[in-house]
Amino acid sequence: EVQLVESGGGLVQPGASLKLSCVASGFTFSDYWMSWVRQTPGKTMEWIGDIKYDGSYTNYAPSLKNRFTISRDNAKSTLYLQMSNVRSEDTATYYCTRAGVFAYWGQGTLVTVSS
Amino acid sequence: DVVLTQTPVSLLISLGGQASISCRSSQSLVHSNGNTYLHWYLQKPGQSPQLLIYQVSNRFSGIPDRFSGSGSGTDFTLKISRVEPEDLGVYYCLQRTHNPWTFGGGTKLELK
């Protein structure tokens, strides 16, 4: 069974940095592109970016690429999202998903940006 | 960026009834390779989104045939026949033809 488990969310101050993780199981992680998607409190869905199966290529939403960095550790079957200089509008639930048709999603981790 | 407009925003349906959700794109979703990367998801209350339909009309594994997708170019429709209680939630369309990938605003399906 495919499982994706995100962690690392919480309350963070504006301007701070935060790193989210997503541990994958039930499939060969190193064979798949992976993605991050977020959902705002108002339920708007926004794609953040993708990373190639070997980590050699990333693709970001233009509005986020200067502050967000996606990486992966295939030995640990783990996907990461490094967020920097966070803003109040980054408050959202962050999901990792297997790229392509987004067939599998984690349960999400909530990030709240507030002073 | 491609804008996906979903209508209606909310839908009141009786159990056993039929629901139809539209997803209209600001530009054609036909990729240069001839495929159309328009997918549909359901987010049940308190849960993560789940894939229902991929590439316009293909049901994902385990999705009942009460769910069907159709359309082409810029106009797409998700139909749910014989609505059951577990069908309630918010439906989203997603396009992965044009970078950046974008979602529709969602359609909330509720019981009448």
Side-chain angles (χ1 to χ4, degrees):
Chain A
E1 180 195 2
V2 172
Q3 282 202 319
L4 299 168
V5 180
E6 301 95 338
S7 61
L11 177 63
V12 60
Q13 293 201 332
S17 296
L18 191 66
K19 190 170 188 177
L20 308 182
S21 301
C22 168
V23 177
S25 60
F27 65 102
T28 304
F29 182 71
S30 56
D31 284 350
Y32 290 89
W33 289 62
M34 297 293 294
S35 301
W36 284 99
V37 172
R38 68 183 183 182
Q39 184 172 37
T40 68
K43 303 300 182 187
T44 297
M45 301 287 290
E46 182 179 19
W47 167 74
I48 295 170
D50 300 332
I51 185 167
K52 195 175 178 179
Y53 47 82
D54 60 358
S56 64
Y57 175 79
T58 50
N59 175 30
Y60 297 96
S63 61
L64 299 174
K65 71 177 299 181
N66 290 334
R67 297 188 299 118
F68 288 14
T69 303
I70 298 174
S71 61
R72 64 192 296 161
D73 183 337
N74 284 346
K76 296 181 178 179
S77 296
T78 302
L79 177 72
Y80 301 101
L81 177 66
Q82 177 72 51
M83 305 167 60
S84 62
N85 189 22
V86 296
R87 307 164 181 168
S88 58
E89 53 263 38
D90 296 322
T91 294
T93 297
Y94 287 74
Y95 295 98
C96 66
T97 176
R98 205 169 80 178
V101 297
F102 292 175
Y104 301 98
W105 298 63
Q107 86 288 351
T109 187
L110 177 62
V111 174
T112 303
V113 182
S114 175
S115 55
Chain B
D1 297 0
V2 171
V3 176
L4 297 182
T5 302
Q6 284 186 238
T7 55
V9 171
S10 65
L11 201 46
L12 286 174
I13 298 291
S14 301
L15 287 178
Q18 176 165 298
S20 181
I21 300 170
S22 169
C23 177
R24 289 193 168 159
S25 175
S26 60
Q27 56 184 278
S28 174
L29 297 183
V30 180
H31 193 274
S32 56
N33 65 12
N35 293 327
T36 300
Y37 298 104
L38 187 284
H39 316 311
W40 290 96
Y41 302 83
L42 165 61
Q43 186 174 33
K44 298 180 182 181
Q47 296 186 18
S48 306
Q50 61 178 100
L51 175 66
L52 299 173
I53 302 283
Y54 64 94
Q55 289 183 236
V56 180
S57 59
N58 299 283
R59 272 187 304 277
F60 185 55
S61 174
I63 302 303
D65 60 7
R66 301 184 294 99
F67 292 87
S68 63
S70 63
S72 62
T74 61
D75 286 352
F76 302 90
T77 301
L78 175 71
K79 283 191 166 62
I80 311 147
S81 59
R82 306 182 304 280
V83 168
E84 297 187 5
E86 58 264 32
D87 301 336
L88 305 183
V90 181
Y91 290 79
Y92 295 94
C93 53
L94 162 71
Q95 69 82 21
R96 279 179 63 94
T97 295
H98 302 289
N99 198 1
W101 326 132
T102 50
F103 288 86
T107 296
K108 188 172 187 178
L109 182 62
E110 298 176 287
L111 278 181
K112 190 182 289 183

